[in-house]
Amino acid sequence: MASKETIQVKDKESAAIQPYRQNLPSFTYGLRPEVLGNFDTLAQSISALAPTATPAILIPLVFGLAGNGAWLAYLIATIGVVLVGANINQFASRSASPGSIYSYVAIGLGPGMGMLTGWLLLCAYIIAFSCVESEFALYAGPFIKEALHLSIEPTLLMLICAVITCYIAWRDIKISSSIMLILEVCSISLILVLMALTLLHRGYILDWSQIKLTGVSAQSVFYGSGISYFGLYRI
């Protein structure tokens, strides 16, 4: 147990270096603090997951690869995402930064691997952004043609999508997170209404061929798990 004299010496040392601590610049990673509140952070997290993209786009792709083992592919991908999230949580509880995964890789495996991870993440986000632009052109083109009787080139639609999204993200992160949350809520509501109408019209159907994994191979489940993992692991 420390003596009273030792505590007094430590208090004097702390008081002596306190003015120098106050003059030190704070390290903020170049970002403004306290810009997003709890609601905005939640909105950004939910919208980044894109919960409508998986049922609308990726589930048909997974089913095309895995067939009746699509549910098993999603189960394997979900377990993988949970394990990755548990590991990331260990780092995030000790070091919080906007550096994403590559900052944690740099802490554990060194700056070289961290830089490699950062470039791989950047390439993945560029590919994902180009896929989203293609999806926008794929859905917006027929809609505009039917509603406004206008035929617009897909390349122009992709350019419009890129300009609008980049401007919103540059203008204010709070605006982009709120817009994304509103769009996701509307999309999920429409999907739930469609599911309810389908069940009311067709009734409850239990597909035993999927439960028994009829015609399913390990390779098809492996490929389907990769696509489903990409859909689940967005952030």
Side-chain angles (χ1 to χ4, degrees):
M1 187 173 183
S3 62
K4 186 180 296 185
E5 291 79 6
T6 304
I7 296 176
Q8 291 177 353
V9 171
K10 289 184 178 180
D11 291 341
K12 289 180 180 180
E13 292 177 352
S14 299
I17 64 176
Q18 188 64 30
Y20 299 98
R21 289 180 176 176
Q22 294 177 354
N23 295 328
L24 290 175
S26 58
F27 188 69
T28 60
Y29 295 97
L31 301 177
R32 289 182 298 168
E34 300 180 359
V35 174
L36 297 178
N38 295 331
F39 177 78
D40 298 318
T41 304
L42 178 63
Q44 190 177 30
S45 300
I46 295 176
S47 56
L49 286 172
T52 55
T54 294
I57 299 172
L58 293 183
I59 286 182
L61 295 177
V62 175
F63 185 80
L65 292 171
N68 291 327
W71 66 270
L72 180 59
Y74 266 102
L75 178 61
I76 295 174
T78 302
I79 295 174
V81 169
V82 171
L83 293 176
V84 171
N87 283 274
I88 294 176
N89 184 57
Q90 295 299 320
F91 284 95
S93 61
R94 294 170 172 82
S95 174
S97 72
S100 187
I101 303 298
Y102 71 85
S103 61
Y104 302 142
V105 174
I107 294 174
L109 300 178
M113 293 300 297
M115 180 178 295
L116 176 61
T117 304
W119 279 108
L120 291 176
L121 284 172
L122 180 61
C123 294
Y125 286 133
I126 292 175
I127 294 173
F129 185 69
S130 62
C131 292
V132 171
E133 288 182 345
S134 302
E135 293 168 6
F136 175 80
L138 181 64
Y139 286 96
F143 177 78
I144 295 175
K145 188 175 182 179
E146 292 292 333
L148 303 177
H149 303 286
L150 294 176
S151 180
I152 303 178
E153 290 293 328
T155 305
L156 182 58
L157 290 174
M158 294 171 63
L159 180 61
I160 293 173
C161 175
V163 170
I164 293 176
T165 52
C166 290
Y167 173 76
I168 293 175
W170 169 80
R171 182 67 179 84
D172 194 347
I173 187 63
K174 297 182 70 173
I175 296 176
S176 62
S177 60
S178 300
I179 291 176
M180 288 189 296
L181 180 63
I182 293 173
L183 293 177
E184 291 297 336
V185 170
C186 295
S187 301
I188 292 175
S189 300
L190 292 175
I191 290 176
L192 291 177
V193 170
L194 181 61
M195 290 175 59
L197 293 176
T198 303
L199 290 176
L200 289 175
H201 179 70
R202 298 292 301 273
Y204 180 72
I205 301 175
L206 189 61
D207 192 353
W208 286 102
S209 61
Q210 295 191 38
I211 297 177
K212 295 179 180 179
L213 299 176
T214 304
V216 176
S217 64
Q219 185 178 11
S220 62
V221 174
F222 176 77
Y223 290 149
S225 299
I227 299 297
S228 56
Y229 183 85
F230 173 77
L232 293 175
Y233 184 63
R234 286 279 186 147
I235 54 180

